[in-house]
Structures are given as C-alpha cells and as structure tokens.
Amino acid sequence: MRWLAVVLGVLVAGIAVPAQAANILDNPGFETGTLSGWSCSGGSVVSTPVRTGGHALNGAVTSSDYAQCSQTVSVQPNTAYTLSAWVRGSYVYLGVAGGVSTWTPAAPSYTQLSLSFTTGASQTSAQIYVHGWYGQSAYQADDFTLDGPGGVPGAPSAPGTPTVTSSTTSSIELSWPASTGTVTGYRVYEGASVVQTVTGTTATVSGLATCSSHSYSVAAYNSAGESAKSAAVAARTAGCTSAGLAKHALIGYLHASFANGSGYVRMADVPDQWDIVNLAFGEPTSVTSGDIRFNRCPVSECPNVESDAEFAAAIKVKQAAGKKVLISIGGANGQVQLTTAAARDAFVSSVSAIIDRYGLDGLDIDFEGHSLYLNVGDTDFRNPTTPVIVNLISALKTLKARYGANFVLSMAPETFFVQVGYQFYGGSSGGDNRTGSYLPVIHALRDALTVLHVQDYNSGPVMGLDNQYHTMGGADFHIAMTDMVKAGFPVANTGQTFPGLRDDQIGFGLPAAVSAGNGYTAPAAVHDALDCLVKGQNCGGYSLRGGTSPGFRGLMTWSINWDKYYNWEFQNSHAPYLDALP
C-alpha cells in the first residue's frame, strides 16, 4: 500500500512508523537515458518497450549472468518502506538485499511487483535490486518506486573502508578515509556494538585476546545523526602459534588410495619440494554415517604400492624434514553429510583413528558435490542452523582442541561453495541450496584454519568484487578469486558481509596438468597472478580490494601424481618462485 503524504515522524511504543510517501530512488525510470544511480551487470537503457516516458531498463540475461541491477540508498532506522517496479519478461525478481523479495515467472506485458519491509533498529542503508534468471530471455523494468524518507538530513557521508595499520597481541590499530560533510566524530563498530569513539580518522581497539579474529566498520556522526557504516575490514591480533609451515608452501594431493590413470607415487618418492602432502582420500562407509575410512591403494591397481609399515615410516621421514602430511576427507566421490550428532561423533572418532595410526599432522576438508548445503531460511553464515553445517563445525573444533595449536587444518572448496556466495547464498537465493555453503564453516573455524586453498579449476565463470565475470585459465581468474577471500565480500541477499582471511591463511589450487582438471593455467600466468597478489605488480588492470598479500601461504595442486606423470612441470616451475618470495 501507499502511505498518506504526511505522517508522524516519530516512534510510538517501539513500533515502526510508516514512512512518508516519497520516491527516494535515483533515476527510477531511467529517464536520464543512462544507468546513472544504478550498478548493473548486463544492463542497458532502451527506448522500447517502455511502460512510461522514453526509457526503461533492459537486463541482458545469459547462461552465466542473471543481469542484476541494484541501487543502495540511505534510509532511516525502524521505518516501514514500500518498494515497487513494473517488469516484463520471464523469471524477474525484485527484492531488498538481506530481506524480502518477490518475483513473477512470466510477464508478457508490464506487470507491477511490490513488497514492503521495515528497516532494522540501526539500519541506515538498503540495497534494492532487480534481476532475471540464468538462460532466460532478456527482461525489462521501469518506474521503480521506494516510498519512504531518505537518510537523516544533514548527516555526514559514510567513511571509506578502514585498513589495519598495525596489531599487537592485544590491540588492533585502524585508519580510514574521512567522510564528507560536517563531522563531529567517528564510531568504530564490531558487528552492532560500538567499540571505540574518536574525533579523527584513526583508532586503536585494545583489550583483545591473543590471536583472535575481528571485523570492524566505521560510521561518522554529527548533531543531525549518523552516517551509513563503511564496508568492514577483517583483522587479527598477533601471537598466533605457528604450525611450523613453510612461509610460502607448495601443497599437493597424493593419490594414496587409488591411481586414477596417473600412476601410483610412493610416499618415500615424493620430492622434497612439497611442503604439505594431502593424502587422498578418507571416505565414509555411507553418506550419512560419519564413519571415515582410509584404505591404501590395492596392489591390483597400484602394483608398486609400499607396505603399510613402509608408508608410515616414509611419513615420519617427511615430518623430520619439516614437511606436513594430512589426511584429506571427501573428494569427488566421498560425499559426507553429518546430519546427526551420532554422525558427528563418528566422524571425530574415525578421523582421529586415522591421524593417530599414521601420526599425521592434521586434516584437509575437501567436501564436494552434495556434502554441504543450506536449508531454506538459513541465511546468516555467522549463525548457521543446517545440521550438516553445524555438525561439521562442531567436529572440526573438537579435533582442533584434541590435537592442539600445531594441528594443521586446511580446506579445498570449489568456487561454487565460496566465491559464488557473493551472488547467491543457498539458504536465501531460491536457487541451488549449496551455493556459498562453505562460508559458515570457514568463518566458524577462521581462528583454527591454517590454509584455505580454493580450487580455481572445474569452475564456471564467477563474478568478482569488480562485478565482472572471470573465467578459468589465466592470471585474472586467480587474482579476482583470491582477492575475494582476502578482502571479504557481501553475502548475497543476506545483508551480511563475510570478513576476509589473513594473507598467511590463503592459497589457491590449480590442476597440475591438462589431464588433471579443467582450468589448467600456464606457469607464466600463475606467476603473473602471484606477482599481483603478493607484490601488487602485473595485475592486468584489476584493482586489489584486499590489498597485497606478502604472507600468501602458497599454491595447491591436484595432484602430485599428475605432476610426476607430466615430468614435474608444476613443481619445477612454482617451487623456485615460492622459495624466492621474501
């Protein structure tokens, strides 16, 4: 409904006051003839078909882009708003990021979509959006209306994104670009809580725990009110215990339970250049049992397989040389769904047995396929409710506590489960319920996580923080995908932002050769990507949102076996590069 033109601008008994009817969107009918005020992927302004006036939005949907256009506006807290738009096409969606949405499956002529929402108690901005759906025809949209008052008149603009300038074991120092307008001071937020109030553009948050992770945003204020918050920055205090890893590690999977056409490589024959060896794979006795078994490759498939005693002895030799050997759980065929507490407990018990049997240094989680997913309505990655997510987090925390600070924990998700969460989140997007489903696991374990090496292969195009799609096989893909992990990103349609990881927790994964997986990248292009990520050089026009990563942990490959099959190209190209980094 539309509200009367004049209403009381106060709160009564804590109830949201209806907003004054006024369209606060910029360029709502695209009558400027441009996309001014809007941020669009695959959008353009057309002169036909329009509903009113001379222009409308056209969303050029493709198989990899659903052509979203969005606009962020300043709003007032605890206030009711009504959003509407006229749309034309198949599967057209209208919504508010992190809130409600509506859609039409088919609108051959212009049809009005509308919805109402109420801002939160401290909310000062809202992002509204419209988009189509993959593989459908183009859609059109016209005559948007967002009824309600804009942000507090006279309040300053939002500050720029803060950066971490230094940290100690108990404090973190921040600085940020100043707001425009009259500014009395700045409030530093951790979540919804104010942790520091200052008059300048720097702050030191103290009294923090050693080796603890935090996320901060900043808002400016004056006598008129408070600005919208800045984007958040991830930070961590110093004093973390080192697991004895190489600063820039070469990481590889070893086919310990199968040959896979590339041949079996004995543990004793793995070259010394490999700093972390992930034994592939531990797999469950059934999808939901949680009971993980690690079976050595049979002689019938691997004629040169060593004995169990020789295998264990070779692991000890690697460890004596400073290498880490982990058991990797999952893989393409090892679906693991911890749907119950019993499965969680079986997972902890059985994984511990494998680690203890061979004296391993830790655990790698390589859950693929349908192992992780989000139930409908599970929209806050910080507080997940889906059992397979909650139980995995609990199991990993138990294992970390059991083995102590030097326990190595790594994860190897596909981009679909991490970076695609920027556009779609499984519990809220109405699409595939697996999108972004690693995010709550990564976030919950961020203080225990040693290295995250996302698989930059076997991936479709993925939208980066520049709102452009990036494709496999070149430096650009690795730069954009890794920058998302470092900088953090808003999680689609949830209103929450995933904080980035420390650079020493970040790597990325590659196929060792063309036969090992889609997305093979030539060594020179990999080095260009690393030059950009570590040194800020050879970025190819991409601007790093998360800054450089001098502590970048390393490169992962599938697999050591395939690298041997192709005469050690991966090892011989990348080990010297990593060793030469400061």
Side-chain angles (χ1 to χ4, degrees):
M1 63 179 292
R2 297 178 62 88
W3 303 103
L4 296 175
V6 179
V7 296
L8 292 175
V10 296
L11 298 178
V12 180
I15 299 174
V17 174
Q20 179 178 345
N23 191 1
I24 61 174
L25 291 174
D26 184 25
N27 195 19
F30 302 91
E31 295 307 318
T32 63
T34 69
L35 295 173
S36 173
W38 296 85
S39 175
C40 296
S41 170
S44 63
V45 176
V46 294
S47 56
T48 185
V50 302
R51 177 178 176 267
T52 63
H55 299 92
L57 169 69
N58 184 76
V61 175
T62 69
S63 61
S64 61
D65 183 0
Y66 63 3
Q68 175 168 296
C69 279
S70 64
Q71 184 173 146
T72 300
V73 294
S74 295
V75 294
Q76 295 186 15
N78 205 50
T79 303
Y81 289 82
T82 300
L83 171 67
S84 67
W86 292 80
V87 301
R88 179 179 180 273
S90 299
Y91 294 93
V92 188
Y93 295 74
L94 177 72
V96 182
V100 294
S101 64
T102 186
W103 67 292
T104 176
S109 59
Y110 274 105
T111 300
Q112 188 177 39
L113 295 177
S114 63
L115 54 87
S116 297
F117 66 96
T118 299
T119 53
S122 60
Q123 185 175 351
T124 56
S125 66
Q127 183 187 71
I128 65 100
Y129 64 83
V130 63
H131 64 73
W133 197 247
Y134 296 113
Q136 301 296 318
S137 58
Y139 71 88
Q140 291 79 43
D142 202 357
D143 298 333
F144 286 76
T145 300
L146 181 57
D147 281 349
V152 180
S157 67
T161 304
T163 57
V164 178
T165 53
S166 67
S167 62
T168 70
T169 56
S170 61
S171 66
I172 294 171
E173 184 177 291
L174 305 167
S175 67
W176 55 87
S179 299
T180 58
T182 302
V183 176
T184 301
Y186 296 90
R187 298 183 180 113
V188 179
Y189 283 86
E190 182 161 16
S193 301
V194 176
V195 295
Q196 193 75 252
T197 300
V198 296
T199 57
T201 57
T202 63
T204 299
V205 184
S206 56
L208 306 175
T210 298
C211 192
S212 57
S213 296
H214 303 271
S215 178
Y216 299 111
S217 58
V218 181
Y221 69 93
N222 60 20
S223 59
E226 186 177 274
S227 73
K229 293 178 184 176
S230 70
V233 64
R236 192 176 194 183
T237 53
C240 299
T241 302
S242 171
L245 294 174
K247 183 175 181 181
H248 308 293
L250 193 69
I251 306 164
Y253 286 80
L254 183 69
H255 306 180
S257 58
F258 56 94
N260 198 29
S262 59
Y264 183 80
V265 177
R266 295 162 65 99
M267 174 60 72
D269 295 333
V270 174
D272 290 340
Q273 285 90 334
W274 298 93
D275 299 298
I276 302 176
V277 178
N278 294 325
L279 304 178
F281 287 106
E283 298 182 357
T285 54
S286 69
V287 172
T288 58
S289 71
D291 185 11
I292 306 299
R293 303 298 172 89
F294 173 56
N295 299 311
R296 303 282 317 290
C297 190
V299 174
S300 58
E301 184 179 355
C302 304
N304 61 323
V305 65
E306 69 270 60
S307 70
D308 219 43
E310 290 171 327
F311 182 73
I315 289 173
K316 289 182 171 55
V317 171
K318 292 294 179 190
Q319 294 169 326
K323 313 304 180 183
K324 304 297 179 182
V325 183
L326 317 181
I327 179 64
S328 181
I329 308 298
N333 298 322
Q335 303 294 296
V336 182
Q337 294 179 351
L338 304 183
T339 55
T340 64
R344 175 200 65 198
D345 295 344
F347 182 89
V348 171
S349 176
S350 58
V351 170
S352 296
I354 297 168
I355 292 171
D356 294 344
R357 177 179 180 182
Y358 295 104
L360 302 179
D361 297 287
L363 171 66
D364 172 71
I365 297 297
D366 184 16
F367 284 14
E368 302 180 16
H370 291 269
S371 292
L372 295 182
Y373 55 84
L374 294 154
N375 289 338
V376 174
D378 189 354
T379 60
D380 186 351
F381 72 89
R382 303 165 305 175
N383 299 288
T385 57
T386 305
V388 295
I389 303 288
V390 174
N391 289 329
L392 176 61
I393 291 170
S394 176
L396 295 179
K397 286 185 175 180
T398 299
L399 287 166
K400 177 68 176 181
R402 176 173 297 183
Y403 290 101
N406 287 327
F407 184 75
V408 178
L409 175 64
S410 66
M411 299 181 190
E414 296 164 289
T415 57
F416 184 76
F417 298 100
V418 181
Q419 289 93 338
V420 172
Y422 179 49
Q423 281 189 284
F424 309 104
Y425 192 61
S428 65
S429 65
D432 194 312
N433 67 349
R434 299 172 297 160
T435 51
S437 58
Y438 251 91
L439 294 176
V441 181
I442 297 167
H443 183 68
L445 275 300
R446 62 174 55 242
D447 285 341
L449 181 63
T450 309
V451 58
L452 175 77
H453 34 61
V454 175
Q455 299 178 29
D456 283 2
Y457 50 93
N458 298 335
S459 170
V462 182
M463 179 177 285
L465 295 178
D466 55 357
N467 290 326
Q468 302 298 313
Y469 281 93
H470 301 267
T471 56
M472 298 183 301
D476 171 75
F477 190 71
H478 306 302
I479 293 168
M481 295 302 97
T482 308
D483 189 41
M484 294 182 78
V485 176
K486 172 71 182 302
F489 52 86
V491 179
N493 301 327
T494 68
Q496 311 296 340
T497 297
F498 174 77
L501 298 176
R502 305 188 320 270
D503 57 359
D504 66 286
Q505 294 177 296
I506 299 171
F508 62 81
L510 300 154
V514 292
S515 299
N518 296 319
Y520 168 79
T521 307
V526 175
H527 295 170
D528 283 344
L530 292 174
D531 283 346
C532 176
L533 293 167
V534 177
K535 308 171 187 176
Q537 303 168 359
N538 296 329
C539 292
Y542 183 92
S543 297
L544 293 173
R545 275 69 176 174
T548 57
S549 298
F552 177 84
R553 180 57 72 184
L555 293 176
M556 174 272 280
T557 193
W558 177 263
S559 63
I560 293 173
N561 305 61
W562 279 115
D563 197 33
K564 179 179 186 294
Y565 189 85
Y566 280 84
N567 299 314
W568 302 110
E569 179 191 78
F570 192 94
Q571 168 193 289
N572 293 338
S573 298
H574 302 314
Y577 179 96
L578 294 171
D579 290 343
L581 291 174

